[in-house]
Amino acid sequence: MTMDRRTFLGNSSLLLSAAALGTAPVEAGQQPMTPNRKHRLVATEEAFATPEQVEAFRKCKDTLWHDPDVDLWNVFLTSETLMRRLLDVDHERISIMDQAGVDMHVLSLTSPGVQLLNADTATSLATLANDQLAEMVKRHPTRYAGLASFAPQDPARAAKEIDRAINKLHLNGLIVNSHTNGEYLDNPKFWPIFEAATACNAAIYIHPRNPPAAAAELLKADVNLWAAIWGYQQETGLHAMRLIVGRVFDEFPKLKIVLGHMGEALPYWLYRIDYMYKNATLIYNNVSGHRLKKLPSEYVKDNFLITTSGMNTHPVLQYCHSVLGPDNIMFAIDYPYQESMEAARFMNSAPLPEPDVEKIAHGNAEKVFHIATT
Ligand code: MN
């Protein structure tokens, strides 16, 4: 079932509510939030855009192409606040960081990065964005670090760009926005990307985007569960599971993958994933076609880090801490899509042992993304 454009835009405007952009007016009788500075905060999933990227999305908008991310950007482009905040790194962003007591943003090109575009355009846009990102970091070396983009559409050139971005531009890690044209990184044709990332000791943040059109339609029609309310974690959790059962970590045991949103639900599912993998062999031997060297949960613990982006809830943090330990969790806000002040308050008041909060608030990010400690 399809939605007409008006219904679609009406429903989608929920995604762009003032609250979602961190500009919600304070309701009568409510106290404005104040910062509760305590820890150094390095936020690890913080989006920016380049003018060239926005222009590319504008061009997609003028076509009849219906990718769910094109549809989403048709809405995003109507928000002046969102566009201003994505395109700014020198003014408003730093003052919002200062207000909330956030020391550093680890910047990454906003979703879906360059992955909507053809291989040539995507490759040159990623190169340009990485150059611009390196300049941003150079202008504000104590406030920003950066994750480099690459175009999986052309794995060989992506591998070269990864090497350049890490070894020449000295960016801090890598970002990819889940699938590319409906294909996932467990497909061995993409493995030059993992070779390059492990050779550079660069972690790859797998950030959400909408699933391919057919799957997105099931999340959109009638229920409007695409994008960040549910569709993103479904898509990105699937991607992570595909890497595990696709033997990527048996092939690249040193590879580090970062997942936002408290691990896109993976930590919650570990028991059942292992149980079914061990016991439902009638189904799962046939599905994966081979045995893994370790249990799925062991790869989650050994090869993944998760971030708190957009999940400012202490019970989930405590759960993830108890399952994954203090070394595999990093603070994130998801600026400008979610609230900086709320995220900072959540982190500074985390009900965990102080040394563990220090690791989560900044220490793990400094280690994984090779950020100089000040
Ligand atoms: Mn995000």
Side-chain angles (χ1 to χ4, degrees), residues 28-51:
Q30 245 186 1
Q31 290 301 312
M33 268 197 185
T34 51
N36 59 344
R37 291 186 181 84
K38 189 170 175 192
H39 299 282
R40 171 171 158 79
L41 295 181
V42 175
T44 54
E45 189 196 304
E46 315 316 322
F48 78 100
T50 65

Side-chain angles (χ1 to χ4, degrees), residues 74-92:
N74 285 349
V75 183
F76 282 175
L77 287 164
T78 65
S79 169
E80 249 175 69
T81 309
L82 181 61
M83 289 305 118
R84 190 183 69 238
R85 289 187 176 181
L86 282 171
L87 289 163
D88 159 71
V89 295
D90 296 312
H91 307 289
E92 189 178 8

Side-chain angles (χ1 to χ4, degrees), residues 39 41 259-263 265 267-268 305-332 342-362 364:
H39 299 282
L41 295 181
L259 296 175
H261 318 102
M262 295 285 193
Y268 187 83
L305 290 104
I306 68 168
T307 80
T308 64
S309 59
M311 291 282 278
N312 303 321
T313 165
H314 287 149
V316 180
L317 177 64
Q318 287 171 304
Y319 171 76
C320 288
H321 174 266
S322 74
V323 172
L324 303 177
D327 298 315
N328 293 326
I329 306 173
M330 301 187 282
F331 173 64
E342 189 200 320
R345 289 186 61 88
F346 153 80
M347 193 72 257
N348 282 320
S349 59
L352 295 174
E354 284 294 293
D356 292 359
V357 181
E358 284 290 305
K359 286 181 177 185
I360 296 167
H362 66 93
N364 294 335

Side-chain angles (χ1 to χ4, degrees), residues 58-69:
R58 253 186 240 286
K59 278 191 192 143
C60 293
K61 174 177 176 278
D62 297 334
T63 67
L64 291 173
W65 181 30
H66 279 293
D67 182 276
D69 279 324

Side-chain angles (χ1 to χ4, degrees), residues 178-179 184-186 206 235-243:
S178 201
H179 75 88
Y184 293 80
L185 299 176
D186 59 291
I206 304 189
E235 161 68 17
T236 316
L238 169 68
H239 202 151
M241 286 305 297
R242 290 188 65 117
L243 298 187

